[in-house]
Amino acid sequence: MQTQSPIKELKKALRLEALARRDALPADYRSNASLQIAGHGISAISFAPGEIISGFWPIRSEVDLRPLLFALRDRGARLCLPVIIDKQTIVFRELLQDMPMIETGFGTSGPHEDAPVVDPTFMLVPLAAFDERGHRIGYGAGYYDRAIARLQNLDINPRLIGTAFDCQKVEIVPDEPHDVPLEAILTESGLHSFGSIDKAN
């Protein structure tokens, strides 16, 4: 039986610990913090008119990005959500106001299959844990790592902003060569930049 590498074992432990802290947050705290996150994002995030921004519908105890996403749409963004199409791949379907939402696997929801598939240039990324350098730990399936790599192969280098609660921060994420650091992290305490966040007006 093949054993996991020490880095993957450490990532797994950090993931479980951070998610346990997130799960322990009271529901009213998560709701209020999600509204704070929306407020910080609305005031601090810049993007080009018509830019395609990916977000996600919340599952379990995740940040609820819907208030932020709808505000970004009101400011001219095109929105899309990830959809799992097989055990290895996600694609991004455009979130259109007249398109129904459907279950898309693993407790997630996304636009109906008739919605256009698009390539985001700006991604609001879910995560389990993050550190002050901008490295993240995902949920372990690697969907976003592969999606980002696919976009880069198309010469698209999407802006990556992680979204999480402050309690998900860890001292250090053990990074691997394929890991792509975040540009910033958006939490209830604000938008914390690891690089330039003001690339478009």
Side-chain angles (χ1 to χ4, degrees):
M1 182 177 177
Q2 188 176 9
T3 59
Q4 285 191 329
S5 69
I7 287 181
K8 292 190 182 302
E9 289 287 354
L10 180 54
K11 281 187 172 182
K12 180 180 179 180
L14 291 170
R15 177 186 301 115
L16 292 175
E17 291 168 5
L19 290 179
R21 292 193 298 272
R22 191 184 76 183
D23 290 342
L25 294 173
D28 60 345
Y29 180 91
R30 293 199 304 269
S31 178
N32 290 331
S34 292
L35 291 175
Q36 290 177 309
I37 286 168
H40 294 310
I42 292 165
S43 64
I45 291 176
S46 298
F47 58 91
E51 187 162 6
I52 301 174
I53 299 178
S54 72
F56 55 90
W57 252 224
I59 59 172
R60 299 187 292 273
S61 58
E62 281 183 334
V63 171
D64 186 350
L65 280 189
R66 287 173 292 187
L68 174 58
L69 292 174
F70 295 147
L72 295 177
R73 181 164 63 188
D74 288 344
R75 288 175 48 197
R78 293 173 62 191
L79 301 179
C80 61
L81 301 178
V83 176
I84 300 168
I85 60 171
D86 58 42
K87 293 183 178 180
Q88 294 292 316
T89 307
I90 57 174
V91 297
F92 295 90
R93 291 180 186 159
E94 188 165 6
L95 181 61
L96 301 172
Q97 292 185 351
D98 58 350
M99 187 67 64
M101 297 285 287
I102 61 171
E103 293 184 6
T104 53
F106 298 96
T108 63
S109 298
H112 189 271
E113 60 186 9
D114 290 339
V117 173
V118 295
D119 293 323
T121 56
F122 191 135
M123 301 173 74
L124 297 171
V125 183
L127 53 86
F130 67 94
D131 67 16
E132 63 183 10
R133 303 175 304 147
H135 288 275
R136 62 180 280 273
I137 298 175
Y139 292 130
Y143 287 115
Y144 270 82
D145 291 332
R146 289 189 292 275
I148 292 166
R150 181 185 66 82
L151 291 170
Q152 291 175 331
N153 287 336
L154 297 173
D155 291 326
I156 300 172
N157 289 297
R159 296 175 62 190
L160 304 174
I161 294 183
T163 57
F165 297 111
D166 286 322
C167 70
Q168 293 171 250
K169 184 178 180 180
V170 299
E171 184 174 353
I172 190 166
V173 169
D175 51 285
E176 300 177 85
H178 66 271
D179 291 334
V180 180
L182 301 166
E183 175 183 314
I185 183 80
L186 181 60
T187 74
E188 67 267 38
S189 63
L191 183 66
H192 309 279
S193 178
F194 310 112
S196 173
I197 62 168
D198 196 15
K199 295 183 180 180
N201 293 309

